[in-house]
Each structure stands twice: as C-alpha cells, then as structure tokens.
Amino acid sequence: MPLSVLYSVAYTGASVFAKALLMDLCSQLRGNNNGDLCAAWKLMKPRGWRSEETLHKAKRELLERRLIVETRKGARPNKASLYAVTWRALDHCAGK
C-alpha cells in the first residue's frame, strides 16, 4: 500500500475494523485483479472475522471513505459483490 494512502485522512481516520478489511482486500491483489476483490463472509471468516455485522460496517466505511469502490453488485445465491482499491487502476477481469 502506498504511503500516500497510509498517511491519508481517509485511512488514518478509519476504524480498526475498516483498516483490517482493507489489508485483507489488499492481500488478494495479484497485479492484474483490481476490481475482483471479494469481502464475502465465506472468505473473511477464516481470516479471523467473527461478526458479519462488523464486516458489513467495515465495508460500508471503506466505501464511504472512498478507499474502495464496488465493481460488481452481488446477487444471491452465487454472486458476491466485488471491489477495487481506489489508488490503483481497474484491471479487466474476464468473465466478471
């Protein structure tokens, strides 16, 4: 993560949970998949998240602070919402 993000008001003013989620989303970045990051409960629970409500609040906070943007709206039963970090260009993710 760039220092410009780490020292930004958006990041420094974020809650601990929002910062943790941002780190979890950044851990999914592979250099060609910004826009294909997932914060679904199924993926986040094994990473230590204990509450779906806390996860939802952290997502909402990151969106409000414009640290992430939603690139695909989720739809039940099998399509999770997808996200991109805002300081990197969006990548074309085939089939998404």
Side-chain angles (χ1 to χ4, degrees):
M1 184 180 306
L3 287 176
S4 60
V5 175
L6 289 174
Y7 289 113
S8 71
V9 172
Y11 183 81
T12 58
S15 70
V16 172
F17 294 112
K19 290 175 182 177
L21 179 56
L22 188 59
M23 290 298 120
D24 284 341
L25 289 172
C26 285
S27 75
Q28 296 174 27
L29 286 168
R30 300 290 176 254
N32 63 350
N33 67 332
N34 192 33
D36 195 23
L37 309 178
C38 186
W41 176 245
K42 250 185 178 177
L43 294 176
M44 293 296 122
K45 187 176 180 184
R47 295 198 52 82
W49 289 86
R50 293 181 289 170
S51 164
E52 286 185 74
E53 180 62 26
T54 302
L55 177 62
H56 178 70
K57 285 179 182 177
K59 260 190 282 191
R60 189 169 55 236
E61 184 177 351
L62 290 177
L63 289 164
E64 288 169 359
R65 291 180 170 276
R66 296 189 174 137
L67 290 166
I68 64 170
V69 63
E70 190 172 39
T71 58
R72 181 180 80 185
K73 193 77 163 161
R76 293 185 186 241
N78 294 326
K79 283 195 176 182
S81 292
L82 297 176
Y83 302 93
V85 294
T86 55
W87 62 87
R88 291 195 49 192
L90 275 176
D91 295 310
H92 176 71
C93 302
K96 302 284 176 154

